[in-house]
Amino acid sequence: MQLTGAQIVIECLKEQGVDTVFGYPGGAILNLYDELYKNQDSIKHYLTSHEQGAAHAADGYARATGKTGVVFATSGPGATNLVTGIATAYMDSIPLVAITCNVGVGLLGKDSFQEIDITGITLPITKHNYIVKDVKDLASAIRKAFAIARKGRPGPVLVDIPKDVTAEKTEFTASENKMVSEPGTVCDSQIATAIKMIHKAKRPMIFVGGGAVLANAGAEVQAFVDKVQAPVCDTLMGKGAFNGADPLYTGMLGMHGTKTANYGVSECDLLVVIGARFSDRVTGNAKKFAKNAKILQIDVDEVEINKNVLVTGQVIGDVKAVLQRLNEKLEPANHDEWIAHIMEYKEKYPLTYNEEVLTGPFIIEEIYRQTEGEAVITTEVGQNQMWAAQFYKYKEPRTFLTSGGLGTMGYGLGASLGAKLGRPDKIVINIAGDGCFRMNMNELATAGRYNIPIIQVVINNHVLGMVRQWQTLFYDKRYSATVLEDNVNFAKLAEALGVKGVTITSKEEFKTAFAEALTLGKPVLLDCQIDADEKVWPMVAPGAAIDEAFDEGDLNAQK
């Protein structure tokens, strides 16, 4: 049958099972939006306040559901406004398809109104991208975009379509071959080497990253830990791949990881790394990382092997498939003495905070208590993000959504909207600092417009908290451009945007307000006023080894 390019895009989205799209219209993409209007019964479009918010919403939808997120934007500034969101997805390996429309083919390269080379701009931050200049190639490009976004290590793909291509007609043949990602083969010799390394270990430690979440390998990780009988730590992106309430869980590893996790990795004789890429925030001084251990790395992407840290052995393949193979062959082990040693660290070095006043850690713990660990938590970046990672126990994958690789301030609110729309059965809470919240707080209007019942918690210290923490510790308290001295009232702002807003100054007020927010069934903002000098502990100084982690008590002891 003969279809226009715009109709082909919509039909291809339906083929891929897409029922939710985020975006913002404009002149170049009007033909697609006209077809969306005609197909609103099968594809729901959510108009955000800004294209960056749309990109983050599509990303949050993908992370929460495991599906591929889809975002639309028009040419020029519409397309460039997606860039930060696309880069965020790229750094964290999130499957995303961005569809932009450009000026007509005859106007390309002529500095036309709202023309931009968006494929050139996004080349370094996408797995692949296309500009489709012939309508005959459009269906193939859309289908390939979804295949590439999901295959192997996931990531974003961009398809740019000139406006005249969306109007032109061609013959379209429907396809029922919805993209399914195959796990691929796993090398037998690599499995054999891994088995030997694990069986020889006396002090094994298991380190879980975001790859385990992306592979939906939570059950396999649990079975592997049961077989190996070893303490477990994770990355920021690996939260929930292993139950944070399990006795063998030692906490997050790295710059703001627990002393238990950092000491365990520094003392183990085998570190089994599952879907993690050895970020600098995890390793600290890479030359001193896991200095007593052989390292076994399991990863779908061969490029990650020996990139940041040299490893002893590797298994390349889908994490879920690899762990299934290992679990079939591994003999149950006993490392009681080693585990007891690590549990002594866990008892000796718990995460603590000032319990007398309202603090970030208290807020996170109270959210955990009232939600019984069943919520989806999104975050912004900085102190709020670290507290959310430290003090909420994530029981399952896809319940902690945060910008890990790029560290995108302004990510969380848009992501929370996508997560709630993708998982309406879940309580969804965005944890923000006041600095991050300012960046995309306009998306509260989106929450209000569609009555998306997310809870926005602002941990408001009236400073750029994490930057100020560094200035306090390493810059002799020269607080350059980090004090937010103004009279912005977030609760009133929320009300103006159609969202209930509450200002909170005490622990009791937070308990009451959050309990009410859980019952309202509509978006709520809680503006929680805390001290400007609350800090995230422990911390590893830049360039130091992770076993040199220090906290406030250590600093006081040095005085």
Side-chain angles (χ1 to χ4, degrees):
M1 56 182 167
Q2 290 278 317
L3 296 181
T4 66
Q7 291 171 326
I8 287 170
V9 171
I10 299 302
E11 290 304 312
C12 287
L13 293 182
K14 290 180 183 177
E15 286 177 1
Q16 299 298 326
V18 173
D19 57 13
T20 303
V21 172
F22 304 90
Y24 206 100
I29 201 171
L30 274 178
N31 291 331
L32 258 67
Y33 271 83
D34 192 47
E35 290 305 319
L36 266 179
Y37 181 87
K38 299 171 186 175
N39 288 272
Q40 57 188 290
D41 289 343
S42 53
I43 299 178
K44 176 68 174 176
H45 176 271
Y46 290 91
L47 175 67
T48 56
S49 299
H50 190 282
E51 289 91 352
Q52 184 177 334
H56 293 326
D59 175 302
Y61 179 91
R63 296 192 201 217
T65 65
K67 300 177 183 178
T68 301
V70 180
V71 61
F72 281 7
T74 197
S75 64
T80 59
N81 283 344
L82 294 180
V83 169
T84 297
I86 292 170
T88 300
Y90 182 76
M91 290 290 284
D92 291 341
S93 303
I94 305 303
L96 186 74
V97 172
I99 295 176
T100 57
C101 287
N102 216 321
V103 300
V105 172
L107 295 174
L108 291 171
K110 297 182 179 180
D111 294 330
S112 305
F113 176 68
Q114 290 193 333
E115 179 198 356
I116 200 74
D117 178 13
I118 193 62
T119 56
I121 288 171
T122 60
L123 186 63
I125 55 168
T126 51
K127 280 188 74 177
H128 195 68
N129 63 29
Y130 303 87
I131 180 166
V132 184
K133 298 180 182 180
D134 188 332
V135 69
K136 295 184 179 67
D137 299 328
L138 185 54
S140 174
I142 297 290
R143 290 164 181 159
K144 286 179 181 178
F146 278 88
I148 292 168
R150 288 297 312 170
K151 186 176 181 181
R153 182 177 184 168
V157 178
L158 181 137
V159 182
D160 191 37
I161 312 167
K163 184 174 183 178
D164 49 352
V165 174
T166 67
E168 292 168 356
K169 286 188 174 183
T170 191
E171 188 67 23
F172 175 77
T173 303
S175 172
E176 297 181 359
N177 296 324
K178 183 178 176 181
M179 205 294 298
V180 177
S181 182
E182 299 294 336
T185 59
V186 180
C187 176
D188 289 340
S189 64
Q190 290 181 349
I191 290 288
T193 298
I195 295 289
K196 289 179 182 177
M197 292 177 69
I198 294 167
H199 282 164
K200 286 182 179 180
K202 303 298 182 186
R203 303 186 308 279
M205 190 90 178
I206 297 170
F207 174 39
V208 183
V213 174
L214 295 170
N216 298 311
E220 287 74 17
V221 170
Q222 181 66 61
F224 182 74
V225 173
D226 291 342
K227 278 286 185 76
V228 178
Q229 277 297 294
V232 181
C233 59
D234 57 17
T235 67
L236 188 69
M237 303 308 301
K239 293 288 172 189
F242 183 72
N243 186 347
D246 191 285
L248 288 176
Y249 180 66
T250 65
M252 187 168 65
L253 183 68
M255 178 173 283
H256 291 294
T258 64
K259 286 187 176 183
T260 304
N262 286 357
Y263 292 167
V265 167
S266 299
E267 294 178 14
C268 70
D269 65 358
L270 175 67
L271 182 63
V272 182
V273 183
I274 303 174
R277 60 183 178 84
F278 298 112
S279 160
D280 57 295
R281 289 301 174 99
V282 160
T283 63
N285 187 326
K287 294 179 180 178
K288 297 180 180 180
F289 180 75
K291 54 185 178 291
N292 297 303
K294 293 181 178 179
I295 299 177
L296 171 64
Q297 186 174 3
I298 301 168
D299 205 286
V300 72
D301 189 355
E302 191 170 4
V303 171
E304 291 298 337
I305 306 300
N306 295 323
K307 185 176 81 173
N308 297 327
V309 171
L310 296 178
V311 303
T312 315
Q314 69 273 338
V315 185
I316 307 301
D318 176 80
V319 165
K320 189 181 186 78
V322 171
L323 290 179
Q324 287 172 344
R325 290 280 303 277
L326 290 174
N327 290 338
E328 289 171 1
K329 295 178 178 296
L330 279 171
E331 295 294 330
N334 184 310
H335 301 107
D336 288 349
E337 186 176 342
W338 165 242
I339 290 172
H341 173 66
I342 296 300
M343 293 305 110
E344 287 177 7
Y345 281 145
K346 193 172 178 179
E347 185 174 344
K348 185 177 180 180
Y349 300 114
L351 293 171
T352 61
Y353 60 90
N354 180 1
E355 298 184 17
E356 300 301 315
V357 296
L358 183 67
T359 64
F362 167 80
I363 289 167
I364 303 302
E365 283 199 336
E366 183 62 19
I367 290 172
Y368 176 73
R369 187 186 70 80
Q370 291 199 30
T371 61
E372 299 179 339
E374 298 296 332
V376 171
I377 304 295
T378 66
T379 82
E380 303 296 344
V381 171
Q383 289 182 320
N384 67 88
Q385 178 187 39
M386 294 298 103
W387 286 325
Q390 291 175 328
F391 289 94
Y392 198 100
K393 297 180 178 65
Y394 299 92
K395 300 177 180 179
E396 59 185 48
R398 303 191 183 280
T399 55
F400 181 66
L401 317 183
T402 193
S403 172
L406 196 62
T408 304
M409 294 174 69
Y411 166 79
L413 179 51
S416 72
L417 301 179
K420 183 62 179 178
L421 292 168
R423 296 289 306 276
D425 58 311
K426 285 285 192 180
I427 298 164
V428 177
I429 302 148
N430 183 47
I431 309 297
D434 50 316
C436 291
F437 178 63
R438 293 162 187 265
M439 295 215 169
N440 278 325
M441 60 189 179
N442 51 357
E443 296 307 335
L444 277 185
T446 309
R449 179 187 305 119
Y450 295 106
N451 193 35
I452 303 171
I454 55 100
I455 301 174
Q456 170 65 67
V457 176
V458 182
I459 302 176
N460 189 349
N461 52 13
H462 298 278
V463 295
L464 299 180
M466 187 60 85
V467 185
R468 179 184 176 91
Q469 178 167 331
W470 280 55
Q471 288 172 332
T472 300
L473 296 173
F474 308 119
Y475 291 85
D476 294 327
K477 299 184 179 181
R478 294 187 295 275
Y479 299 125
S480 175
T482 53
V483 179
L484 306 177
E485 293 178 326
D486 52 38
N487 295 311
V488 176
N489 186 316
F490 290 145
K492 287 184 177 180
L493 173 72
E495 297 286 350
L497 295 175
V499 173
K500 180 178 176 61
V502 183
T503 301
I504 292 165
T505 59
S506 71
K507 293 168 66 175
E508 289 305 316
E509 285 178 355
F510 181 78
K511 289 179 181 180
T512 301
F514 186 76
E516 181 186 8
L518 290 173
T519 68
L520 291 178
K522 63 181 183 180
V524 179
L525 176 140
L526 305 179
D527 180 14
C528 306
Q529 308 282 319
I530 72 165
D531 186 83
D533 283 310
E534 289 290 336
K535 294 182 176 59
V536 178
W537 301 115
M539 183 174 187
V540 176
I546 59 172
D547 60 359
E548 297 174 49
F550 64 93
D551 56 26
E552 192 169 23
D554 296 320
L555 289 182
N556 291 335
Q558 293 174 7
K559 293 179 180 178

